C-alpha cells in the first residue's frame, strides 16, 4: 500500500468514525439514573403550582398512568388532572430512594415520594411509591407507563376505655376451627386468631380498633340491647363476621 493510499484509508476511517459519532448523537444518548431522578423531581415540583409543562414534555402521547387511587389515565386525562393547590394549601414532594434498570432504549425508575402539605396551618405527611417506564423514541426519552401507590399508615390512636373491655372479651367464631379470642392483659386489649400470634388492639373510635401495621379494622358490633354480638373483621371496606360464642 502506497503512502497516499494509506493516508486516504486513515482519512476515510476518521470520517466514518465522526459520522458514526454524529449519527449516534442524533439518535439520542442513553440516559442515567441521575437524569431520570432530575426529571422525576421536576414533574413533582410542578404539582403544587399545577404546571402542566413537565407532564406534557416527559409523558409519551400514548402513555398510560395508574395513580394512587387506582385511576387509569391516558395522557390527556393526566394533564387535565394537573391543577394548582387551592388557596390556603401549600406543599412539596421529594423524590427519595431511587432504583433504576436501564438497558438499550428502555429505562425503569422506581422511587419513593415524601409529601409534606400545609392546610391552613395544619401539617400533613404522606408517602408514596412510584414506578415509571421510560422509552427512547427518535432520540427522545419519555414515560410510556407509570404506576403510583400510597404506603399504608396507621390512623391516629383514639382514647383507651378499659371499662368497656369486658364487653369485648370472649371467643368469636367464623366456622369450625376458625375463631378469634379477645382478651385483656396488663390493661391492654388483644386479639388472637386461631393458630396465630396475638395482636394488640389499638382504639380508633368507640368499638373500632386497628392492629399496628395492618390495614383494616376490627369492629365490635352491638345488638339493639347494647350487647356485643359479633366482631367484624373489616378488610378493604368488606366485613368478615365472627359471631360471639361466649
Amino acid at each position: 500500500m502506497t503512502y497516499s493510499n494509506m493516508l486516504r484509508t486513515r482519512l476515510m476511517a476518521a470520517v466514518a468514525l465522526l459520522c458514526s459519532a454524529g449519527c449516534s448523537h442524533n439518535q439520542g444518548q442513553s440516559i442515567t439514573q441521575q437524569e431520570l431522578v432530575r426529571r422525576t423531581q421536576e414533574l413533582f415540583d410542578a404539582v403544587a403550582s399545577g404546571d402542566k409543562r413537565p407532564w406534557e414534555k416527559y409523558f409519551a402521547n400514548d402513555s398510560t398512568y395508574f395513580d394512587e387511587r387506582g385511576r387509569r389515565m391516558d395522557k390527556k386525562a393526566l394533564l387535565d388532572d394537573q391543577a394548582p393547590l387551592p388557596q390556603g394549601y401549600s406543599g412539596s414532594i421529594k423524590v427519595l430512594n431511587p432504583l433504576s434498570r436501564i438497558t438499550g432504549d428502555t429505562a425503569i425508575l422506581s422511587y419513593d415520594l415524601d409529601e409534606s402539605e400545609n392546610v391552613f396551618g395544619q401539617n400533613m405527611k404522606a408517602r408514596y411509591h412510584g414506578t415509571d417506564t421510560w422509552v427512547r423514541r427518535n432520540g427522545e426519552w419519555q414515560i410510556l407507563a407509570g404506576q403510583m401507590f400510597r404506603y399504608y399508615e396507621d390512623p391516629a390512636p383514639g382514647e383507651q376505655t378499659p371499662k368497656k373491655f369486658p364487653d369485648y372479651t370472649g371467643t368469636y367464631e367464623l366456622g369450625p376451627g376458625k375463631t378469634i379470642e379477645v382478651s385483656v392483659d396488663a390493661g391492654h386489649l388483644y386479639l388472637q386468631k386461631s393458630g396465630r400470634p396475638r395482636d394488640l388492639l389499638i382504639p380508633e373510635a368507640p368499638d373500632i380498633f386497628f392492629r399496628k401495621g395492618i390495614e383494616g379494622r376490627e369492629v365490635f358490633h352491638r345488638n339493639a340491647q347494647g350487647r356485643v354480638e359479633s366482631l367484624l373483621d373489616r378488610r378493604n371496606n368488606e366485613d368478615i363476621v365472627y359471631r360471639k360464642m361466649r
Side-chain angles (χ1 to χ4, degrees):
M1 179 181 291
T2 64
Y3 177 78
S4 58
N5 288 338
M6 185 183 300
L7 182 59
R8 187 183 305 112
T9 300
R10 290 180 178 178
L11 286 173
M12 290 175 64
V15 169
L17 182 61
L18 288 171
C19 179
S20 174
C23 292
S24 175
H25 177 75
N26 291 336
Q27 292 174 359
Q29 299 296 324
S30 184
I31 200 164
T32 64
Q33 176 175 297
Q34 183 179 10
E35 176 61 16
L36 291 172
V37 171
R38 187 197 69 77
R39 295 184 181 195
T40 304
Q41 185 64 67
E42 184 182 345
L43 286 168
F44 291 103
D45 283 344
V47 168
S49 64
D51 185 359
K52 301 176 187 289
R53 289 173 295 179
W55 299 82
E56 171 69 41
K57 178 180 179 181
Y58 293 134
F59 275 82
N61 290 334
D62 56 344
S63 60
T64 301
Y65 191 80
F66 285 84
D67 73 358
E68 69 279 5
R69 289 185 279 175
R71 296 181 299 169
R72 184 178 67 182
M73 294 181 283
D74 58 15
K75 183 173 182 177
K76 181 181 183 305
L78 183 60
L79 292 176
D80 289 344
D81 198 52
Q82 306 307 311
L85 293 175
Q87 188 174 2
Y89 288 63
S90 62
S92 63
I93 302 174
K94 300 299 181 185
V95 178
L96 302 173
N97 306 321
L99 179 65
S100 65
R101 294 291 184 270
I102 303 170
T103 176
D105 292 330
T106 304
I108 299 173
L109 181 69
S110 180
Y111 53 91
D112 290 334
L113 294 178
D114 185 19
E115 180 183 37
S116 299
E117 189 173 6
N118 185 283
V119 181
F120 288 90
Q122 301 182 49
N123 294 318
M124 302 179 66
K125 298 281 289 183
R127 296 186 308 124
Y128 303 87
H129 185 81
T131 302
D132 298 327
T133 299
W134 296 72
V135 295
R136 178 171 54 183
R137 293 170 171 169
N138 301 318
E140 184 177 8
W141 286 92
Q142 289 186 307
I143 296 173
L144 182 62
Q147 186 170 24
M148 186 71 61
F149 70 81
R150 182 170 181 170
Y151 283 112
Y152 170 75
E153 302 286 353
D154 288 329
E159 183 179 356
Q160 191 84 276
T161 53
K163 66 180 182 180
K164 290 187 177 181
F165 286 178
D167 294 351
Y168 307 137
T169 57
T171 301
Y172 299 79
E173 186 180 51
L174 174 64
K178 296 295 182 181
T179 61
I180 287 178
E181 189 75 28
V182 177
S183 60
V184 178
D185 185 11
H188 295 284
L189 197 66
Y190 290 89
L191 174 151
Q192 185 171 20
K193 294 185 177 182
S194 51
R196 301 182 63 179
R198 71 179 186 176
D199 292 312
L200 175 67
L201 288 177
I202 304 170
E204 180 180 4
D207 295 340
I208 302 176
F209 295 78
F210 65 92
R211 293 172 289 164
K212 187 174 180 62
I214 300 176
E215 192 169 1
R217 300 294 186 272
E218 306 299 330
V219 182
F220 292 93
H221 182 262
R222 297 178 183 269
N223 59 22
Q225 290 72 43
R227 290 186 58 190
V228 173
E229 63 177 6
S230 59
L231 175 59
L232 311 182
D233 187 17
R234 183 162 293 169
R235 308 176 186 179
N236 196 29
N237 296 320
E238 295 185 320
D239 295 334
I240 296 178
V241 181
Y242 287 73
R243 301 294 180 185
K244 191 170 186 180
M245 305 302 293
R246 59 177 176 81

